[in-house]
Amino acid sequence: MVGGEAAAAVEELISGVRRATDFAEQFRSYSESEKQWKARMEFILRHLPDYRDPPDGGGRLDQLLSLSMVWANHLFLGCSYNKDLLDKVMEMADGIEVEDLPQFTTRSELMKKLCCLTIGWTIWIRFIQQRLEGKTKEKTHFFIFLHNLWLCFLLLLLLSRFSRVRLCATP
């Protein structure tokens, strides 16, 4: 009879998982991809027992759904939130494996690249200007023109990067 009890326990477990999955399915956003939803559903199902609403209400389930959205938005969209909140959801999501996550460039990373380019170019221009001392004004003006053209290019590059890259405060 032990085999029958084990089979019944397994069947009950499978039934419980199906009910929990069906319950969680109602919270899927129409804009979530299958990959995003699977990850967020795993987050929800993992913590559902701890966040069940008490009989008198209380909004614990709403809190869990909000935490799951914070986690998914941070992971898939690059959104940034308060450090304590991010620490909490990342701890809650510990062990959930998500493949092929998008990579986001932070504003500070873009600024570092831009500053390095600008400093390098300025050093080069100063070197050229020192070499041109005593040369004709036309050559000197030409290199100043190149310097200004480079700065305009960097500004346009920076503006185009900000319009195409999602900026986030955390790496």
Side-chain angles (χ1 to χ4, degrees):
M1 221 3 116
V2 173
E5 289 174 10
V10 168
E11 185 59 39
E12 184 179 330
L13 179 65
I14 291 172
S15 169
V17 169
R18 283 189 190 129
R19 282 193 309 270
T21 303
D22 291 343
F23 174 76
E25 192 67 38
Q26 67 182 315
F27 303 114
R28 181 177 183 173
S29 172
Y30 69 91
S31 62
E32 282 180 301
S33 70
E34 193 65 27
K35 180 169 79 171
Q36 291 169 342
W37 170 241
K38 292 290 183 194
R40 195 165 78 86
M41 184 170 64
E42 185 176 345
F43 184 98
I44 293 169
L45 292 177
R46 175 185 285 189
H47 298 287
L48 192 57
D50 300 330
Y51 282 87
R52 287 249 184 224
D53 282 337
D56 63 343
R60 300 270 299 149
L61 181 60
D62 286 342
Q63 185 181 17
L64 174 61
L65 295 174
S66 297
L67 291 170
S68 74
M69 287 303 294
V70 166
W71 177 69
N73 288 346
H74 175 69
L75 219 58
F76 296 106
L77 303 177
C79 298
S80 61
Y81 298 91
N82 174 291
K83 182 183 179 334
D84 294 334
L85 178 60
L86 274 179
D87 289 345
K88 178 178 181 169
V89 296
M90 295 312 279
E91 181 182 322
M92 290 173 72
D94 190 37
I96 298 176
E97 297 292 325
V98 182
E99 295 179 3
D100 301 325
L101 288 174
Q103 299 295 316
F104 299 100
T105 303
T106 64
R107 180 181 354 206
S108 60
E109 290 170 343
L110 287 175
M111 293 307 289
K112 282 179 193 174
K113 289 178 185 177
L114 182 65
C115 288
C116 288
L117 287 172
T118 303
I119 290 169
W121 180 258
T122 304
I123 290 171
W124 185 79
I125 287 295
R126 302 268 180 201
F127 173 75
I128 295 299
Q129 284 176 339
Q130 289 172 356
R131 295 288 209 170
L132 289 175
E133 279 187 23
K135 305 289 184 198
T136 63
K137 283 188 176 183
E138 290 81 19
K139 286 185 179 179
T140 305
H141 288 301
F142 175 71
F143 281 100
I144 292 172
F145 167 75
L146 281 180
H147 181 260
N148 291 336
L149 186 64
W150 176 250
L151 291 177
C152 289
F153 169 76
L154 289 177
L155 180 63
L156 289 173
L157 177 69
L158 179 66
L159 291 174
S160 69
R161 293 291 291 171
F162 279 135
S163 66
R164 285 187 281 142
V165 176
R166 290 187 185 100
L167 299 178
C168 56
T170 57

